[in-house]
Amino acid sequence: MARITAGLAVSHIPAVGAAWDLGKTQEPYWKPVFEGFEWSKRWMAANTPDVIVLVYNDHANAFSLELIPTFALGMAERFEPCDEGWGPRPVPAVHGHPQLAAHLAESLILDEFDLTLANELQVDHGLTVPLTLLFGGPAAWPCRVIPLAVSVVQYPPPTGLRCSKLGAAIRRAVEAYDEDLTVQVWGTGGMSHQLQGPRAGLINTPFDTAFLDRLSTDPEALARTPHIEYLREAGSEGIELVMWHVMRGALSAEAREVRRFYHVPASNTALGHIIFEEPDGGSEGRDTQEGSPR
Ligand code: DHB
Ligand code: FE
């Protein structure tokens, strides 16, 4: 049977992708950002799953205001990077897992999560930047990726609690898939950031740190955080954090935090990253050197 081995969350800042693509990772501004992922890249290399269910939001690239699915599941064999205005990122196409995606669609919809099914989908920085941070620049991504797009750009986004319940339903679906696959669930976006309006540039480190702590120790209560609190405390784009609840909801009560990284400044965003392992997930051991929150 398939099983979820780990969950991971990471900000998906487009300028981080541009820094990688333009060879700027050793510049003083970007060096600490990329160094912060060295441990995680080693962990990923040792724990590469067969499939990642990658929860992200499209930023009006593949979807527009004409069509706003709250949850859209990528069903295709292949997903190309979108042109976000500067040409598509020079990264490999993403290979999906149509069989597992079809199983997820059936299982989730019959479990009363009414997904939109995307048979054709181009993926933006929300999906490709996390892959760059965790895998670097391989000629091909080392595993299959099923995109799960969540609407957070048009009010109302789904609640954190709905996202957490979707994660739990994904776990049930994966555990009912009759093939011996290892699956990770990733949540992306956040942490605090606001890109427009009078509060543009807002960063709230105490909020972000508390969010990371509670995601680890008290995820069920954290998932009940109302939208207005994200908006007030984490800025208008901080609402992307609801996607982290899909990841956390997909994990068991036994899952343990093994890695955390938090860094400001990174573009307009507080960069946050966390990894949870399931007890049977194939551990390299807990990271005690670099893992403490800053
Ligand atoms: C930035 C962050 C995002 O999450 C995003 O989707 C776009 C831009 C930023 O930091 O500029
Ligand atoms: Fe974003």
Side-chain angles (χ1 to χ4, degrees), residues 12-14 57 59 125-126 152 189-190 193 195 237 240 243:
H12 59 214
I13 304 163
N57 67 289
H59 301 75
H125 67 269
V152 296
H193 64 305
L195 301 179
E237 277 65 46
E240 289 182 340
M243 295 184 286

Side-chain angles (χ1 to χ4, degrees), residues 85-162:
W86 300 270
R89 287 193 64 213
V91 294
V94 170
H95 286 271
H97 195 301
Q99 294 82 5
L100 179 58
H103 168 81
L104 288 176
E106 179 180 10
S107 178
L108 291 168
I109 291 171
L110 297 181
D111 207 2
E112 302 179 346
F113 286 87
D114 307 322
L115 305 179
T116 298
L117 306 185
N119 289 318
E120 203 180 306
L121 179 66
Q122 292 190 342
V123 289
D124 77 3
H125 67 269
L127 184 134
T128 64
V129 169
L131 292 176
T132 297
L133 282 171
L134 275 302
F135 293 121
W141 300 122
C143 62
R144 305 283 177 144
V145 177
I146 298 179
L148 175 52
V150 178
S151 165
V152 296
V153 296
Q154 164 70 54
Y155 187 84
T159 63
L161 189 57
R162 184 67 174 157

Side-chain angles (χ1 to χ4, degrees), residues 39-63:
W39 188 93
S40 300
K41 280 164 82 172
R42 290 196 300 278
W43 179 89
M44 272 308 302
N47 296 281
T48 309
D50 296 311
V51 186
I52 298 167
V53 176
L54 203 157
V55 183
Y56 76 110
N57 67 289
D58 178 78
H59 301 75
N61 290 305
F63 303 123

Side-chain angles (χ1 to χ4, degrees), residues 35-36 38-39 42 259-261 287-293:
E35 278 179 1
E38 285 305 315
W39 188 93
R42 290 196 300 278
R259 173 66 179 153
R260 186 189 295 200
F261 176 60
D287 174 26
T288 50
Q289 295 299 306
E290 308 167 87
S292 55

